[in-house]
Amino acid sequence: MQEKRSMRFGKWLLKAIVSYAVFIAAGLLLSFVPARRLGLSEEMFLNLRMFFMLFGPIYLTLFVKIILTFIAAAKRREPDVSERSRGILFAVTALLLFANLSNAQTVSDLASGTIQGKGLRNLERSKRYSLKGKRFLNVFLPVGFYLLILVLLTLLVCIVTFAPLPRAASNAFIFTIALTALLFLLPPLILSFISGYQGDKAKHENKRAQEKQKAVQSDILVLETDPIRRKRYLRLPKILALLICPGVCLTSGFVLALTKNSQELLSVRLLRTPFLALMAAAVFLFIPLLMYWANCSGTSLVQRVYLTQNQLYYTGYSGSMEERVEFTFTLLRLESYHIGRRSIRIHGQFTKKTRDAYGSSQKKPFTKTLWLPRTFPIDQEQALLYFLQNQAAENVS
Protein backbone atom coordinates (compact mmCIF):
# COMPACT_ATOMS: atom_id res chain seq x y z
CA MET A 1 0.00 0.00 0.00
CA GLN A 2 2.81 2.39 0.88
CA GLU A 3 4.57 1.58 -2.41
CA LYS A 4 1.39 2.26 -4.39
CA ARG A 5 0.97 5.61 -2.67
CA SER A 6 4.60 6.48 -3.38
CA MET A 7 4.21 5.54 -7.04
CA ARG A 8 0.98 7.54 -7.28
CA PHE A 9 2.61 10.58 -5.69
CA GLY A 10 5.61 10.23 -8.03
CA LYS A 11 3.32 10.16 -11.10
CA TRP A 12 1.39 13.18 -9.84
CA LEU A 13 4.63 15.09 -9.18
CA LEU A 14 5.95 14.24 -12.64
CA LYS A 15 2.72 15.46 -14.27
CA ALA A 16 2.88 18.69 -12.27
CA ILE A 17 6.50 19.32 -13.27
CA VAL A 18 5.78 18.65 -16.95
CA SER A 19 2.66 20.86 -16.91
CA TYR A 20 4.44 23.77 -15.27
CA ALA A 21 7.40 23.37 -17.63
CA VAL A 22 5.08 23.56 -20.65
CA PHE A 23 3.20 26.60 -19.34
CA ILE A 24 6.38 28.40 -18.26
CA ALA A 25 7.83 27.84 -21.74
CA ALA A 26 4.62 29.09 -23.34
CA GLY A 27 4.68 32.15 -21.04
CA LEU A 28 8.23 32.95 -22.03
CA LEU A 29 7.31 32.68 -25.70
CA LEU A 30 4.39 35.04 -25.13
CA SER A 31 6.87 37.69 -23.93
CA PHE A 32 7.97 38.16 -27.56
CA VAL A 33 4.47 39.33 -28.50
CA PRO A 34 4.16 43.16 -28.33
CA ALA A 35 1.73 44.19 -25.58
CA ARG A 36 0.46 47.17 -27.59
CA ARG A 37 -0.73 44.87 -30.37
CA LEU A 38 -3.05 43.22 -27.80
CA GLY A 39 -4.26 46.58 -26.47
CA LEU A 40 -2.63 46.07 -23.07
CA SER A 41 -0.01 47.93 -21.11
CA GLU A 42 3.32 46.29 -20.38
CA GLU A 43 2.39 45.83 -16.71
CA MET A 44 -0.95 44.19 -17.52
CA PHE A 45 0.64 41.90 -20.07
CA LEU A 46 3.34 40.90 -17.58
CA ASN A 47 0.73 40.11 -14.93
CA LEU A 48 -1.26 38.01 -17.40
CA ARG A 49 1.85 36.03 -18.35
CA MET A 50 2.73 35.44 -14.70
CA PHE A 51 -0.78 34.26 -13.91
CA PHE A 52 -0.75 32.12 -17.07
CA MET A 53 2.37 30.34 -15.90
CA LEU A 54 1.17 30.10 -12.27
CA PHE A 55 -2.51 29.14 -12.74
CA GLY A 56 -2.39 27.62 -16.23
CA PRO A 57 -1.84 24.03 -15.01
CA ILE A 58 -4.59 24.48 -12.41
CA TYR A 59 -7.05 25.74 -15.03
CA LEU A 60 -6.15 22.84 -17.30
CA THR A 61 -6.55 20.33 -14.47
CA LEU A 62 -9.97 21.70 -13.54
CA PHE A 63 -11.24 21.60 -17.12
CA VAL A 64 -9.95 18.05 -17.54
CA LYS A 65 -11.60 17.04 -14.25
CA ILE A 66 -14.96 18.44 -15.42
CA ILE A 67 -14.73 16.60 -18.74
CA LEU A 68 -13.69 13.33 -17.07
CA THR A 69 -16.57 13.64 -14.60
CA PHE A 70 -19.11 13.85 -17.43
CA ILE A 71 -17.42 10.97 -19.29
CA ALA A 72 -17.51 8.80 -16.16
CA ALA A 73 -21.19 9.66 -15.67
CA ALA A 74 -21.95 8.71 -19.28
CA LYS A 75 -20.24 5.35 -18.70
CA ARG A 76 -21.99 4.98 -15.30
CA ARG A 77 -18.64 4.82 -13.53
CA GLU A 78 -18.85 8.04 -11.56
CA PRO A 79 -17.28 7.92 -8.08
CA ASP A 80 -19.65 7.96 -5.11
CA VAL A 81 -18.80 11.40 -3.73
CA SER A 82 -22.31 12.40 -2.65
CA GLU A 83 -22.30 10.61 0.70
CA ARG A 84 -18.77 11.77 1.57
CA SER A 85 -19.59 15.37 0.67
CA ARG A 86 -22.71 15.61 2.84
CA GLY A 87 -20.74 16.04 6.05
CA ILE A 88 -18.68 18.84 4.52
CA LEU A 89 -21.81 20.58 3.25
CA PHE A 90 -23.44 20.35 6.68
CA ALA A 91 -20.33 21.83 8.29
CA VAL A 92 -20.23 24.70 5.78
CA THR A 93 -23.94 25.37 6.27
CA ALA A 94 -23.51 25.35 10.06
CA LEU A 95 -20.67 27.88 9.81
CA LEU A 96 -22.78 30.13 7.55
CA LEU A 97 -25.70 29.94 9.97
CA PHE A 98 -23.41 30.73 12.88
CA ALA A 99 -22.04 33.76 11.02
CA ASN A 100 -25.58 34.86 10.22
CA LEU A 101 -26.76 34.52 13.82
CA SER A 102 -23.66 35.86 15.55
CA ASN A 103 -25.13 39.38 15.36
CA ALA A 104 -28.66 38.37 16.43
CA GLN A 105 -30.18 41.30 18.30
CA THR A 106 -33.93 40.75 18.21
CA VAL A 107 -36.38 38.03 19.22
CA SER A 108 -37.11 37.32 15.55
CA ASP A 109 -33.39 36.67 14.97
CA LEU A 110 -33.34 34.19 17.84
CA ALA A 111 -36.52 32.52 16.57
CA SER A 112 -34.98 32.29 13.12
CA GLY A 113 -31.90 30.71 14.65
CA THR A 114 -34.01 28.11 16.45
CA ILE A 115 -35.80 27.15 13.24
CA GLN A 116 -32.55 26.99 11.28
CA GLY A 117 -30.91 24.91 14.00
CA LYS A 118 -33.77 22.40 14.01
CA GLY A 119 -33.67 22.21 10.24
CA LEU A 120 -29.93 21.51 10.34
CA ARG A 121 -30.43 18.77 12.95
CA ASN A 122 -33.08 17.18 10.74
CA LEU A 123 -30.65 17.27 7.82
CA GLU A 124 -27.90 15.74 9.92
CA ARG A 125 -30.19 12.94 11.10
CA SER A 126 -31.21 12.28 7.50
CA LYS A 127 -27.69 10.93 6.80
CA ARG A 128 -28.82 7.53 8.08
CA TYR A 129 -31.26 7.25 5.18
CA SER A 130 -30.39 6.59 1.55
CA LEU A 131 -29.66 9.87 -0.23
CA LYS A 132 -31.95 10.81 -3.10
CA GLY A 133 -30.47 11.68 -6.48
CA LYS A 134 -27.08 10.08 -5.89
CA ARG A 135 -26.20 9.85 -9.59
CA PHE A 136 -27.08 13.51 -10.09
CA LEU A 137 -25.07 14.62 -7.04
CA ASN A 138 -22.08 12.48 -7.98
CA VAL A 139 -21.74 14.71 -11.06
CA PHE A 140 -23.17 17.96 -9.69
CA LEU A 141 -20.99 18.24 -6.58
CA PRO A 142 -17.52 17.89 -8.18
CA VAL A 143 -18.48 20.00 -11.22
CA GLY A 144 -19.94 22.72 -8.98
CA PHE A 145 -16.82 22.70 -6.82
CA TYR A 146 -14.52 22.95 -9.87
CA LEU A 147 -16.58 25.80 -11.32
CA LEU A 148 -16.47 27.67 -8.01
CA ILE A 149 -12.66 27.40 -7.93
CA LEU A 150 -12.48 28.57 -11.57
CA VAL A 151 -14.60 31.64 -10.83
CA LEU A 152 -12.54 32.53 -7.74
CA LEU A 153 -9.25 32.16 -9.63
CA THR A 154 -10.58 34.26 -12.49
CA LEU A 155 -11.69 36.95 -10.05
CA LEU A 156 -8.21 37.00 -8.47
CA VAL A 157 -6.55 37.33 -11.89
CA CYS A 158 -8.87 40.16 -12.96
CA ILE A 159 -8.49 42.04 -9.67
CA VAL A 160 -4.68 42.01 -9.85
CA THR A 161 -4.38 42.58 -13.59
CA PHE A 162 -7.17 45.06 -14.35
CA ALA A 163 -7.49 46.83 -10.97
CA PRO A 164 -9.63 48.70 -10.33
CA LEU A 165 -12.39 46.58 -11.85
CA PRO A 166 -15.43 48.38 -13.34
CA ARG A 167 -18.54 48.28 -11.16
CA ALA A 168 -20.41 46.15 -13.70
CA ALA A 169 -17.61 43.56 -13.77
CA SER A 170 -17.40 43.49 -9.96
CA ASN A 171 -21.15 43.00 -9.62
CA ALA A 172 -21.07 40.27 -12.27
CA PHE A 173 -18.31 38.41 -10.39
CA ILE A 174 -20.09 38.77 -7.03
CA PHE A 175 -23.38 37.55 -8.50
CA THR A 176 -21.67 34.60 -10.24
CA ILE A 177 -19.79 33.51 -7.11
CA ALA A 178 -22.87 33.84 -4.90
CA LEU A 179 -25.05 31.93 -7.38
CA THR A 180 -22.45 29.18 -7.84
CA ALA A 181 -22.00 28.78 -4.07
CA LEU A 182 -25.77 28.77 -3.53
CA LEU A 183 -26.32 26.14 -6.20
CA PHE A 184 -23.44 24.15 -4.77
CA LEU A 185 -25.08 24.06 -1.32
CA LEU A 186 -28.84 24.04 -1.87
CA PRO A 187 -29.52 20.99 -4.10
CA PRO A 188 -27.60 18.52 -1.88
CA LEU A 189 -29.27 19.93 1.25
CA ILE A 190 -32.72 19.79 -0.35
CA LEU A 191 -32.19 16.22 -1.55
CA SER A 192 -30.87 15.28 1.90
CA PHE A 193 -33.98 16.73 3.51
CA ILE A 194 -36.23 14.88 1.04
CA SER A 195 -34.42 11.60 1.66
CA GLY A 196 -34.58 12.13 5.43
CA TYR A 197 -38.26 13.05 5.30
CA GLN A 198 -39.22 10.07 3.15
CA GLY A 199 -37.04 7.69 5.14
CA ASP A 200 -38.49 8.89 8.44
CA LYS A 201 -42.01 8.69 7.01
CA ALA A 202 -41.45 5.11 5.84
CA LYS A 203 -40.02 4.18 9.23
CA HIS A 204 -42.99 5.71 11.04
CA GLU A 205 -45.49 3.99 8.73
CA ASN A 206 -43.76 0.68 9.40
CA LYS A 207 -44.02 1.35 13.13
CA ARG A 208 -47.76 2.08 12.82
CA ALA A 209 -48.24 -1.09 10.80
CA GLN A 210 -46.53 -3.11 13.53
CA GLU A 211 -48.74 -1.48 16.18
CA LYS A 212 -51.82 -2.38 14.13
CA GLN A 213 -50.67 -5.96 13.65
CA LYS A 214 -50.01 -6.31 17.37
CA ALA A 215 -53.45 -4.91 18.19
CA VAL A 216 -55.19 -7.26 15.74
CA GLN A 217 -53.38 -10.24 17.25
CA SER A 218 -54.76 -9.13 20.64
CA ASP A 219 -58.37 -9.16 19.28
CA ILE A 220 -58.55 -5.35 19.24
CA LEU A 221 -60.59 -3.78 16.44
CA VAL A 222 -58.58 -1.15 14.55
CA LEU A 223 -60.49 1.57 12.70
CA GLU A 224 -58.64 3.35 9.89
CA THR A 225 -59.61 5.81 7.17
CA ASP A 226 -60.98 4.46 3.90
CA PRO A 227 -59.37 6.32 0.93
CA ILE A 228 -62.65 6.49 -1.05
CA ARG A 229 -64.66 7.94 1.84
CA ARG A 230 -61.80 10.31 2.66
CA LYS A 231 -61.81 11.65 -0.90
CA ARG A 232 -65.54 12.27 -0.62
CA TYR A 233 -65.08 13.88 2.81
CA LEU A 234 -62.46 16.34 1.48
CA ARG A 235 -64.57 17.42 -1.48
CA LEU A 236 -66.41 20.18 0.42
CA PRO A 237 -63.39 21.99 1.96
CA LYS A 238 -61.54 21.69 -1.34
CA ILE A 239 -64.42 23.30 -3.25
CA LEU A 240 -64.74 26.05 -0.63
CA ALA A 241 -61.01 26.88 -0.69
CA LEU A 242 -60.22 26.50 -4.38
CA LEU A 243 -63.48 27.34 -6.17
CA ILE A 244 -65.89 29.36 -4.04
CA CYS A 245 -63.48 31.97 -2.67
CA PRO A 246 -61.58 32.64 -5.92
CA GLY A 247 -64.83 32.48 -7.92
CA VAL A 248 -66.60 34.98 -5.69
CA CYS A 249 -63.54 37.24 -5.67
CA LEU A 250 -63.19 37.20 -9.48
CA THR A 251 -66.91 37.71 -10.08
CA SER A 252 -67.10 40.59 -7.63
CA GLY A 253 -63.96 42.16 -9.09
CA PHE A 254 -65.42 41.88 -12.60
CA VAL A 255 -68.67 43.60 -11.53
CA LEU A 256 -66.77 46.34 -9.69
CA ALA A 257 -64.53 46.91 -12.72
CA LEU A 258 -67.55 47.24 -15.05
CA THR A 259 -69.31 49.75 -12.80
CA LYS A 260 -66.35 51.88 -11.68
CA ASN A 261 -67.14 54.67 -14.21
CA SER A 262 -70.84 54.94 -13.22
CA GLN A 263 -70.55 55.41 -9.50
CA GLU A 264 -72.42 58.72 -9.59
CA LEU A 265 -75.69 56.79 -9.99
CA LEU A 266 -77.37 55.68 -6.76
CA SER A 267 -78.45 52.33 -8.22
CA VAL A 268 -74.86 51.54 -9.23
CA ARG A 269 -73.54 52.43 -5.78
CA LEU A 270 -76.18 50.19 -4.19
CA LEU A 271 -75.17 47.40 -6.58
CA ARG A 272 -71.45 47.78 -5.85
CA THR A 273 -71.84 47.64 -2.05
CA PRO A 274 -72.76 43.91 -1.72
CA PHE A 275 -70.20 42.90 -4.34
CA LEU A 276 -67.52 44.85 -2.50
CA ALA A 277 -68.50 43.11 0.75
CA LEU A 278 -68.45 39.72 -0.98
CA MET A 279 -65.03 40.39 -2.44
CA ALA A 280 -63.61 41.42 0.94
CA ALA A 281 -65.17 38.38 2.61
CA ALA A 282 -63.73 36.05 -0.05
CA VAL A 283 -60.25 37.53 0.39
CA PHE A 284 -60.31 37.28 4.20
CA LEU A 285 -61.87 33.80 4.26
CA PHE A 286 -59.42 32.25 1.80
CA ILE A 287 -56.66 31.56 4.37
CA PRO A 288 -59.04 30.18 7.07
CA LEU A 289 -60.66 27.89 4.49
CA LEU A 290 -57.24 26.67 3.35
CA MET A 291 -56.40 25.92 6.98
CA TYR A 292 -59.75 24.13 7.40
CA TRP A 293 -59.01 22.02 4.31
CA ALA A 294 -55.51 21.20 5.60
CA ASN A 295 -56.92 20.26 9.02
CA CYS A 296 -59.57 17.99 7.48
CA SER A 297 -56.96 16.39 5.23
CA GLY A 298 -54.44 15.78 8.01
CA THR A 299 -56.93 14.58 10.63
CA SER A 300 -58.69 12.16 8.31
CA LEU A 301 -55.35 10.78 7.10
CA VAL A 302 -53.67 10.01 10.43
CA GLN A 303 -56.63 9.15 12.68
CA ARG A 304 -56.92 5.65 14.06
CA VAL A 305 -59.30 4.19 16.64
CA TYR A 306 -58.62 1.11 18.75
CA LEU A 307 -61.74 -0.58 20.13
CA THR A 308 -61.85 -3.21 22.83
CA GLN A 309 -64.92 -4.43 24.64
CA ASN A 310 -64.90 -1.58 27.16
CA GLN A 311 -62.24 0.82 25.94
CA LEU A 312 -61.74 3.34 23.13
CA TYR A 313 -58.40 4.81 22.11
CA TYR A 314 -58.20 7.59 19.54
CA THR A 315 -54.68 8.06 18.14
CA GLY A 316 -52.97 10.25 15.56
CA TYR A 317 -49.97 12.48 15.04
CA SER A 318 -48.96 15.86 13.67
CA GLY A 319 -45.74 17.08 12.13
CA SER A 320 -42.86 14.98 10.85
CA MET A 321 -39.29 14.00 11.69
CA GLU A 322 -38.04 15.79 14.80
CA GLU A 323 -41.26 17.81 15.11
CA ARG A 324 -43.64 14.83 15.04
CA VAL A 325 -45.99 14.69 18.01
CA GLU A 326 -48.03 11.51 18.54
CA PHE A 327 -51.12 11.64 20.72
CA THR A 328 -53.51 9.11 22.25
CA PHE A 329 -56.91 9.99 23.73
CA THR A 330 -58.33 7.35 26.08
CA LEU A 331 -62.07 7.54 26.74
CA LEU A 332 -62.79 7.21 30.48
CA ARG A 333 -66.46 8.13 30.56
CA LEU A 334 -68.86 8.84 27.70
CA GLU A 335 -71.30 11.65 28.40
CA SER A 336 -72.89 12.06 24.96
CA TYR A 337 -72.28 11.54 21.28
CA HIS A 338 -73.75 12.95 18.08
CA ILE A 339 -73.68 11.59 14.54
CA GLY A 340 -73.34 14.45 12.09
CA ARG A 341 -73.23 14.40 8.33
CA ARG A 342 -69.44 14.84 8.21
CA SER A 343 -68.25 13.82 11.68
CA ILE A 344 -69.02 11.90 14.85
CA ARG A 345 -68.77 14.02 17.98
CA ILE A 346 -67.85 12.20 21.20
CA HIS A 347 -68.20 14.20 24.42
CA GLY A 348 -66.80 12.80 27.62
CA GLN A 349 -63.85 12.50 29.95
CA PHE A 350 -60.47 11.61 28.45
CA THR A 351 -56.84 11.26 29.31
CA LYS A 352 -54.28 12.39 26.76
CA LYS A 353 -50.82 10.95 26.26
CA THR A 354 -48.35 12.71 23.93
CA ARG A 355 -45.01 11.50 22.68
CA ASP A 356 -42.37 13.37 20.67
CA ALA A 357 -38.63 13.33 20.03
CA TYR A 358 -37.98 14.70 23.54
CA GLY A 359 -40.05 12.20 25.54
CA SER A 360 -43.65 11.54 26.55
CA SER A 361 -46.17 13.12 28.89
CA GLN A 362 -49.70 12.37 30.10
CA LYS A 363 -52.49 14.77 30.94
CA LYS A 364 -54.86 14.16 33.82
CA PRO A 365 -58.54 13.39 33.10
CA PHE A 366 -60.37 16.28 31.47
CA THR A 367 -63.60 16.90 29.60
CA LYS A 368 -63.36 17.18 25.84
CA THR A 369 -65.33 16.74 22.63
CA LEU A 370 -63.61 14.63 19.99
CA TRP A 371 -64.54 15.25 16.35
CA LEU A 372 -63.99 12.10 14.30
CA PRO A 373 -64.30 12.58 10.52
CA ARG A 374 -66.66 10.00 9.03
CA THR A 375 -64.04 8.42 6.81
CA PHE A 376 -64.00 4.93 8.32
CA PRO A 377 -65.36 2.01 6.28
CA ILE A 378 -69.08 1.38 6.81
CA ASP A 379 -68.62 -1.81 8.82
CA GLN A 380 -66.02 -0.19 11.08
CA GLU A 381 -68.20 2.86 11.60
CA GLN A 382 -71.11 0.60 12.57
CA ALA A 383 -68.87 -1.12 15.12
CA LEU A 384 -67.91 2.29 16.55
CA LEU A 385 -71.57 3.38 16.81
CA TYR A 386 -72.49 0.08 18.45
CA PHE A 387 -69.73 0.64 21.03
CA LEU A 388 -70.96 4.20 21.73
CA GLN A 389 -74.56 2.98 22.13
CA ASN A 390 -73.47 0.39 24.67
CA GLN A 391 -71.39 2.92 26.58
CA ALA A 392 -74.28 5.40 26.63
CA ALA A 393 -76.67 2.67 27.83
CA GLU A 394 -74.29 1.66 30.63
CA ASN A 395 -73.94 5.27 31.79
CA VAL A 396 -77.72 5.71 31.89
CA SER A 397 -78.21 2.53 33.88
Side-chain angles (χ1 to χ4, degrees):
M1 181 65 69
Q2 188 68 26
E3 292 180 358
K4 289 183 178 180
R5 290 181 179 177
S6 300
M7 291 177 60
R8 195 181 306 165
F9 177 75
K11 290 181 179 180
W12 176 84
L13 185 61
L14 180 62
K15 290 179 182 179
I17 293 174
V18 171
S19 298
Y20 270 101
V22 171
F23 275 90
I24 289 173
L28 294 175
L29 291 176
L30 286 175
S31 62
F32 295 103
V33 179
R36 295 180 181 178
R37 184 174 297 179
L38 300 176
L40 300 173
S41 64
E42 291 293 338
E43 183 180 358
M44 285 185 179
F45 192 46
L46 176 62
N47 289 334
L48 284 178
R49 294 202 311 273
M50 292 298 104
F51 279 120
F52 177 79
M53 290 184 285
L54 179 62
F55 292 147
I58 300 177
Y59 271 91
L60 179 62
T61 302
L62 293 175
F63 281 119
V64 171
K65 288 281 189 181
I66 292 174
I67 295 173
L68 292 178
T69 301
F70 282 111
I71 293 176
K75 294 182 178 180
R76 297 180 179 271
R77 297 177 182 175
E78 69 275 5
D80 189 10
V81 299
S82 57
E83 291 289 351
R84 297 195 301 268
S85 301
R86 294 171 80 187
I88 299 175
L89 293 174
F90 292 145
V92 172
T93 306
L95 289 174
L96 292 175
L97 292 179
F98 176 77
N100 179 45
L101 298 173
S102 60
N103 60 346
Q105 298 177 354
T106 63
V107 176
S108 61
D109 292 334
L110 296 176
S112 175
T114 302
I115 295 173
Q116 292 173 356
K118 288 185 176 181
L120 193 62
R121 286 200 301 273
N122 284 331
L123 287 174
E124 182 64 27
R125 289 178 60 192
S126 71
K127 292 180 68 176
R128 60 186 176 180
Y129 301 111
S130 178
L131 180 62
K132 300 297 179 182
K134 279 189 176 181
R135 288 202 62 206
F136 165 74
L137 289 181
N138 286 334
V139 177
F140 178 84
L141 287 174
V143 171
F145 179 70
Y146 298 148
L147 289 177
L148 185 59
I149 294 179
L150 285 173
V151 175
L152 291 174
L153 288 178
T154 306
L155 176 61
L156 176 62
V157 171
C158 291
I159 288 176
V160 176
T161 305
F162 304 104
L165 283 178
R167 181 179 295 273
S170 300
N171 292 336
F173 270 111
I174 293 173
F175 175 77
T176 304
I177 292 173
L179 182 62
T180 306
L182 194 63
L183 291 177
F184 182 65
L185 288 174
L186 284 184
L189 295 179
I190 292 173
L191 291 176
S192 295
F193 181 81
I194 292 174
S195 65
Y197 172 77
Q198 293 183 349
D200 184 79
K201 181 180 178 181
K203 181 181 178 181
H204 186 256
E205 290 299 324
N206 183 50
K207 173 187 170 185
R208 281 170 59 87
Q210 291 177 356
E211 291 176 351
K212 178 182 177 180
Q213 184 179 5
K214 184 178 179 181
V216 171
Q217 291 174 352
S218 302
D219 294 329
I220 298 176
L221 180 61
V222 182
L223 283 63
E224 288 188 305
T225 292
D226 177 58
I228 298 177
R229 297 198 71 188
R230 179 173 178 264
K231 185 177 180 180
R232 194 180 309 145
Y233 171 77
L234 294 177
R235 191 176 300 161
L236 176 61
K238 181 189 264 189
I239 291 174
L240 289 175
L242 299 183
L243 292 180
I244 301 300
C245 278
V248 170
C249 188
L250 291 175
T251 303
S252 301
F254 180 71
V255 173
L256 293 175
L258 288 179
T259 58
K260 67 177 181 179
N261 296 325
S262 304
Q263 299 186 44
E264 66 276 0
L265 299 176
L266 179 61
S267 59
V268 174
R269 290 201 299 271
L270 293 176
L271 176 66
R272 286 172 59 87
T273 301
F275 280 101
L276 186 62
L278 284 174
M279 186 175 182
V283 170
F284 285 110
L285 287 177
F286 181 66
I287 299 299
L289 287 176
L290 274 181
M291 295 175 64
Y292 172 65
W293 179 24
N295 179 68
C296 291
S297 178
T299 303
S300 61
L301 179 65
V302 304
Q303 70 172 352
R304 178 183 284 180
V305 176
Y306 295 91
L307 280 181
T308 64
Q309 186 175 2
N310 296 312
Q311 201 70 56
L312 180 148
Y313 303 94
Y314 179 76
T315 67
Y317 65 92
S318 61
S320 61
M321 300 181 73
E322 191 180 40
E323 300 304 314
R324 180 183 291 112
V325 178
E326 301 176 78
F327 58 83
T328 301
F329 288 96
T330 303
L331 178 63
L332 300 179
R333 176 180 174 82
L334 177 66
E335 297 183 0
S336 63
Y337 71 95
H338 176 75
I339 306 172
R341 185 176 179 180
R342 292 176 48 80
S343 63
I344 299 174
R345 297 193 294 273
I346 303 176
H347 183 71
Q349 289 186 349
F350 295 87
T351 60
K352 181 181 180 181
K353 183 178 180 180
T354 58
R355 181 173 53 189
D356 55 21
Y358 307 101
S360 59
S361 61
Q362 184 163 349
K363 189 176 180 180
K364 294 181 179 180
F366 63 101
T367 302
K368 178 180 175 60
T369 300
L370 276 181
W371 295 67
L372 279 64
R374 297 187 63 180
T375 56
F376 301 116
I378 299 298
D379 56 338
Q380 294 185 2
E381 185 176 287
Q382 292 298 326
L384 174 61
L385 296 179
Y386 180 73
F387 172 84
L388 295 175
Q389 290 174 2
N390 290 337
Q391 290 293 314
E394 290 180 4
N395 291 337
V396 170
S397 60

